[in-house]
Amino acid sequence: MARAPTRRHFLLAAGAAIPAATFALLSRETDAPSPLAAGSVLDPDARPVRRIVQAQPTRDGAGVRLSRALGGQALPDLDPFLLLDEFHTDRADDYIAGFPDHPHRGFETVTYMIHGAMEHRDSVGNRGRLGPGSAQWMTAGRGIIHSEMPKQEQGLMWGFQLWVNLPAARKMAKPRYQDIEPSAIPEIDIADARVRVVAGEAGGRRGPVDGVVVAPSLLDVTLAAGASFRHALPPEHNAFVYVIDGAARIGPEGTPVARGELAVLGAGRSAVSTSATGARLLLLAGQPIGEPIARRGPFVMNTAEEIRQAFEDYRSGRLVGG
């Protein structure tokens, strides 16, 4: 099966199509309403689960082992989101080679750490350390070359990389970083859920990420056994839930979603979730951009010609200089 675009390989060959039977295992539609399950939430505004995608194992960077839930063939994108990778291993050989220098243009990268530490460096002299509970929102804009390398030689490394698209009018903007310490991320109790607000607003608290054109929400939600959580979302935003621990029931029908599965949410004004045994999940939402997407390797633009120009600028050294 062909791999999705990676930061490791800038030039990708076209892959063979996934057989229908295999594709069905990676993604399942849930349009048909199901009977209300135990622990479901009766909310007429709640968004139903429209599709569930199972994260697939792959490697990226210099061989980092990870799971890809968004950005593969089963779900190439969910406007404005382009990719969601999870790295979760205590085997040093799975992560020690890290993500050496690689370029980006035309979108934003988000790194969110749960355990372990990564060091960030880039071509214009920026440097930072991402430890447990920290986040980085990097706007690549017109171009940046950066690296993310492990700052540990053993122990658990657990985190996520999210790619968020930029509209055409902002793709060539000046690069920008938001490095966010754990103490800057509000952690609050909403009913019987514990919520870290990285971006957006929840429980009257606003996350530290600002100035992002798609007005994203990024919540890290922990549900104890028997807990439930409801969160209002702009009806025009696309949204999904990714379960990172345990198992949850999502939406008004209480659709079961297991660890390592991504649930695409349908129309509505709120996201609701419950868990009989306890769960931890990421809730993401954002304003769709609605423009053509041209992506190849580390670049995301609107046309094939713009992608060709990005590669030419990278080869000639003009990517960072503008």
Side-chain angles (χ1 to χ4, degrees):
M1 182 176 67
R3 297 199 305 174
T6 69
R7 295 175 291 276
R8 184 183 184 189
H9 298 100
F10 300 158
L11 299 175
L12 302 178
I18 298 178
T22 303
F23 185 86
L25 294 176
L26 308 185
S27 172
R28 64 183 190 272
E29 302 291 340
T30 60
D31 286 327
S34 59
L36 287 177
S40 62
V41 179
L42 295 173
D43 185 340
D45 291 329
R47 292 175 175 238
V49 174
R50 290 303 187 202
R51 186 176 178 188
I52 294 176
V53 177
Q54 179 182 336
Q56 294 299 297
T58 187
R59 288 185 181 269
D60 209 334
V64 176
R65 187 183 298 274
L66 49 81
S67 297
R68 179 159 294 157
L70 174 62
Q73 292 192 22
L75 185 62
D77 62 80
L78 183 66
D79 191 8
F81 304 110
L82 301 164
L83 177 141
L84 179 66
D85 283 345
E86 177 182 11
F87 43 94
H88 186 189
T89 178
D90 59 6
R91 287 172 42 87
D93 289 347
D94 291 342
Y95 61 74
I96 199 67
F99 303 95
D101 284 349
H102 56 278
H104 289 306
R105 172 181 279 180
F107 65 103
E108 301 178 290
T109 69
V110 182
T111 304
Y112 180 55
M113 298 295 296
I114 294 180
H115 287 289
M118 291 276 226
E119 182 180 70
H120 157 82
R121 295 186 182 188
D122 71 21
S123 52
V124 294
N126 293 307
R127 179 175 177 176
R129 184 181 186 276
L130 297 172
S134 63
Q136 182 192 81
W137 200 291
M138 183 187 81
T139 304
R142 67 191 180 213
I144 199 77
I145 299 171
H146 78 151
S147 66
E148 291 175 294
M149 301 299 292
K151 290 301 292 179
Q152 63 188 64
E153 296 181 357
Q154 60 183 354
L156 178 62
M157 179 74 76
W158 188 8
F160 302 87
Q161 173 126 141
L162 174 75
W163 288 9
V164 184
N165 202 8
L166 286 168
R170 299 286 293 275
K171 283 188 178 293
M172 297 298 284
K174 181 179 179 180
R176 182 174 78 120
Y177 290 89
Q178 298 182 66
D179 286 315
I180 301 162
E181 295 292 329
S183 59
I185 298 175
E187 189 165 340
I188 57 178
D189 292 315
I190 300 177
D192 45 6
R194 188 71 172 168
V195 182
R196 300 191 82 224
V197 188
V198 181
E201 186 174 351
R205 301 291 299 277
R206 178 164 288 280
V209 172
D210 66 4
V212 179
V213 68
V214 299
S217 297
L218 197 173
L219 307 182
D220 177 353
V221 181
T222 300
L223 298 170
S228 63
F229 175 67
R230 178 187 184 278
H231 180 67
L233 290 171
E236 67 275 13
H237 282 198
N238 285 335
F240 68 87
V241 170
Y242 181 65
V243 176
I244 66 175
D245 197 18
R249 290 188 175 272
I250 310 296
E253 285 88 29
T255 303
V257 184
R259 160 88 177 91
E261 290 185 334
L262 182 151
V264 178
L265 304 185
R269 295 180 177 274
S270 64
V272 297
S273 57
T274 65
S275 179
T277 58
R280 188 172 181 181
L281 52 89
L282 299 180
L283 171 61
L284 290 107
Q287 174 69 52
I289 295 171
E291 295 178 350
I293 296 174
R295 67 190 287 180
R296 188 177 180 189
F299 304 129
V300 182
M301 303 300 288
N302 295 103
T303 68
E305 172 57 27
E306 290 170 337
I307 293 292
R308 186 200 64 76
Q309 186 65 54
F311 276 102
E312 183 177 318
D313 289 347
Y314 175 61
R315 289 190 293 264
S316 66
R318 294 193 303 268
L319 184 82
V320 174

